[in-house]
Amino acid sequence: MDKRIEISKNDRSFRRIDESEPEWFYRLRRKGWDYYSKIGSPNRISNLWRYTNPAIFENGELERLEIELPKVRNGNNGNRPAENSKSSFEDFNLTPELKEKGVIFKDLFSAVRLNPGLTEKFLGKLVGFDFGRFEALNLALWNKGWFLKIPDNTTVDEPIYLNNIITEKSDFRRLLVLVGDNSRVDIIDDYSSSGDTQNTSYNCVTELFVGNGSNVKYINLQRPHSGYKGLLTYRAAIGRDSNLHSIFGGFGGTAVKVNVGVRLTGKGSESRIDGIVFAENKQHFDYHTRHHHTSSDTYSNLNFKVVLKDKSNSAYTGLIRIEEDALNCEAYQENRNLLLNKGAKAESIPELEILTDEVRCSHGATMGPIDPEMIFYLKSRGLNSIEATKAVVEGFVNSIMDRIPVKIADIFKNLVSEKLGGQTG
């Protein structure tokens, strides 16, 4: 039987279903393709796209990508395994004890075929086909991905390290994480590149579900070479009495746009978001965050620090939303920007949408150069101008560095040090 699923004649038709592709999965792909085909470019009036032109992320290879990329065959897209597969799995040892407890860690294609009860229930539920134009395209075309399931009452002692090396001109990736009740895990999601290639883009989506009473740390690092343009959409939902700590580092690429959101759905849940961005030359970083309190007695805290030099620029927009029936919530949001010279530019828009009176909430933003008195004091202690500047910047970001697992904190510190190497004070 021909399993092709028809779509509107007004739309560009989607590919045929592959023989090894579950029908529910194909339908989900097609919904993403249909939505992408119908919706126009994002509205730049909204804060989400006010400071970044979405046209730079448009893809001119859709005819080839629609045919070649999304096939599911033996879990590796019908070709040789992705270049990052081996290194990623070697960096985390799924011990017999963890396997016996029910931990699952595999490529997402395999999970779609072999774990349909989980993937069909959760895939695309936080970042669905109608989330946005580029997210719809990701759902239709992602060709590399990971699936991680941590069952109830399970502690994973070693961080799970995902080594995402961007190797293709158009790269679409997806991560689906399910954490059960009373469990703990740290996840390091590291994006880098294999070379300095111009006009290379990647579009990535992460969906993270956290049960009740669990502790999860998610670290996302963006450090591709210049010439790379990156989009990341991250959404998490956390249950009762759970704690989620999300850390973001932006260092590499020509233009990087990151959309972060956490929904606090269970009473007593806590979310902390920390970020470090360090841009130089003409780099452009745009981070948007959203803490959405839908349950009472929830807590969120955001601390985002940006360092800019040369003619780089950064935009930070953040939203705290507390629903009408979410009582006794606390929410804090702070964005600090340090400009190392006059050519750098920072934008910051913190926002609150508070629909109830029974809350404690605050937000704030600062931006400016290093205080000359701090440099003067450090120079009086024997440091030269370059050393004094480095000391101030390192002190500026150290409060966040201290909360990062050692394995990735060293990478963060080295990247900061590299950026400061050319600083003239």
Side-chain angles (χ1 to χ4, degrees):
M1 181 181 68
D2 186 356
K3 297 178 70 176
R4 178 177 175 81
I5 299 173
E6 297 299 328
I7 63 174
S8 170
K9 293 181 180 179
N10 295 324
D11 295 327
R12 180 176 166 186
S13 63
F14 196 45
R15 61 172 173 82
R16 290 178 179 271
I17 189 170
D18 187 77
E19 62 182 16
S20 61
E21 189 173 17
E23 188 166 323
W24 69 266
F25 181 57
Y26 177 80
R27 289 182 178 275
L28 191 62
R29 294 277 214 186
R30 198 206 67 183
K31 284 182 178 179
W33 183 262
D34 289 355
Y35 190 80
Y36 175 81
S37 300
K38 294 174 182 177
I39 192 172
S41 188
N43 188 339
R44 297 199 64 187
I45 295 177
S46 66
N47 284 341
L48 183 60
W49 287 100
R50 180 176 297 180
Y51 299 105
T52 300
N53 185 356
I56 67 175
F57 298 111
E58 293 290 353
N59 197 299
E61 293 190 296
L62 292 187
E63 288 191 18
R64 180 185 70 81
L65 296 175
E66 183 263 331
I67 295 171
E68 294 181 6
L69 293 188
K71 304 294 179 62
V72 180
R73 193 181 297 276
N74 299 325
N76 62 22
N77 204 27
N79 304 305
R80 61 181 174 79
E83 290 188 19
N84 68 329
S85 298
K86 187 176 180 181
S87 60
S88 291
F89 281 97
E90 282 183 346
D91 284 331
F92 174 70
N93 182 23
L94 193 57
T95 63
E97 291 78 12
L98 290 176
K99 290 181 181 178
E100 188 175 336
K101 289 181 179 180
V103 174
I104 301 173
F105 183 41
K106 63 177 63 172
D107 70 90
L108 189 51
F109 278 127
S110 294
V112 166
R113 294 186 302 108
L114 303 176
N115 305 94
L118 293 172
T119 51
E120 184 176 3
K121 181 179 180 181
F122 291 100
L123 184 63
K125 295 303 186 290
L126 292 179
V127 184
F129 73 92
D130 57 352
F131 189 95
R133 176 174 173 81
F134 298 110
E135 290 80 9
L137 188 63
N138 176 281
L139 190 59
L141 297 183
W142 66 264
N143 61 312
K144 296 171 186 170
W146 304 112
F147 174 73
L148 173 65
K149 178 182 181 294
I150 309 297
D152 297 345
N153 307 308
T154 301
T155 296
V156 181
D157 294 318
E158 294 296 323
I160 296 177
Y161 181 68
L162 306 176
N163 186 19
N164 298 287
I165 303 173
I166 308 301
T167 59
E168 299 181 15
K169 187 175 181 181
S170 299
D171 210 304
F172 296 84
R173 297 178 183 241
R174 197 145 189 134
L175 172 62
L176 176 61
V177 179
L178 312 177
V179 180
D181 298 340
N182 306 310
S183 296
R184 183 176 68 81
V185 65
D186 292 352
I187 302 162
I188 300 170
D189 204 9
D190 185 3
Y191 284 83
S192 60
S193 58
S194 59
D196 192 352
T197 304
Q198 297 298 315
N199 298 319
T200 298
S201 65
Y202 58 99
N203 180 336
C204 308
V205 170
T206 294
E207 294 178 295
L208 173 57
F209 295 84
V210 181
N212 301 322
S214 291
N215 284 276
V216 177
K217 185 171 287 187
Y218 171 84
I219 301 99
N220 178 275
L221 176 58
Q222 302 286 325
R223 52 166 177 158
H225 288 81
S226 62
Y228 284 71
K229 297 172 289 186
L231 279 169
L232 171 71
T233 302
Y234 167 83
R235 283 296 182 271
I238 55 178
R240 186 183 66 252
D241 296 322
S242 281
N243 189 310
L244 173 63
H245 186 188
S246 309
I247 302 169
F248 294 86
F251 297 93
T254 297
V256 176
K257 169 73 175 172
V258 181
N259 183 353
V260 176
V262 178
R263 191 165 71 231
L264 296 90
T265 65
K267 186 176 181 180
S269 59
E270 297 187 9
S271 171
R272 177 183 292 274
I273 297 175
D274 286 322
I276 298 175
V277 170
F278 198 143
E280 62 183 346
N281 300 321
K282 294 183 180 181
Q283 285 182 295
H284 172 80
F285 286 96
D286 186 343
Y287 278 76
H288 174 80
T289 67
R290 175 185 172 94
H291 267 134
H292 189 189
H293 296 250
T294 64
S295 183
S296 298
D297 301 295
T298 50
Y299 173 89
S300 70
N301 194 314
L302 180 137
N303 185 8
F304 219 89
K305 296 192 174 183
V306 178
V307 182
L308 302 174
K309 61 183 286 193
D310 305 325
K311 294 184 179 181
S312 62
N313 65 86
S314 167
Y316 170 77
T317 56
L319 172 66
I320 298 171
R321 179 179 172 88
I322 301 180
E323 297 296 340
E324 186 176 0
D325 54 352
L327 307 178
N328 304 316
C329 294
E330 292 187 49
Y332 306 97
Q333 181 176 268
E334 184 176 51
N335 170 225
R336 295 188 178 275
N337 301 270
L338 189 61
L339 281 60
L340 302 186
N341 53 269
K342 294 181 179 180
K345 183 179 180 181
E347 302 283 356
S348 183
I349 301 182
E351 294 182 301
L352 301 177
E353 291 184 4
I354 311 300
L355 306 182
T356 179
D357 294 331
E358 298 182 42
V359 297
R360 294 179 63 184
C361 231
S362 69
H363 64 165
T366 63
M367 60 184 68
I370 296 176
D371 187 344
E373 292 187 4
M374 297 176 67
I375 300 297
F376 177 80
Y377 172 79
L378 291 171
K379 290 173 71 173
S380 72
R381 296 291 179 175
L383 277 65
N384 60 36
S385 296
I386 295 175
E387 292 170 337
T389 299
K390 288 182 177 181
V392 171
V393 173
E394 289 170 355
F396 180 71
V397 300
N398 268 349
S399 62
I400 296 175
M401 292 286 195
D402 292 341
R403 294 194 285 269
I404 302 174
V406 174
K407 183 170 186 176
I408 202 75
D410 289 341
I411 298 176
F412 273 58
K413 290 176 182 178
N414 288 337
L415 289 167
V416 170
S417 180
E418 288 175 10
K419 296 276 191 178
L420 288 169
Q423 179 61 36
T424 59

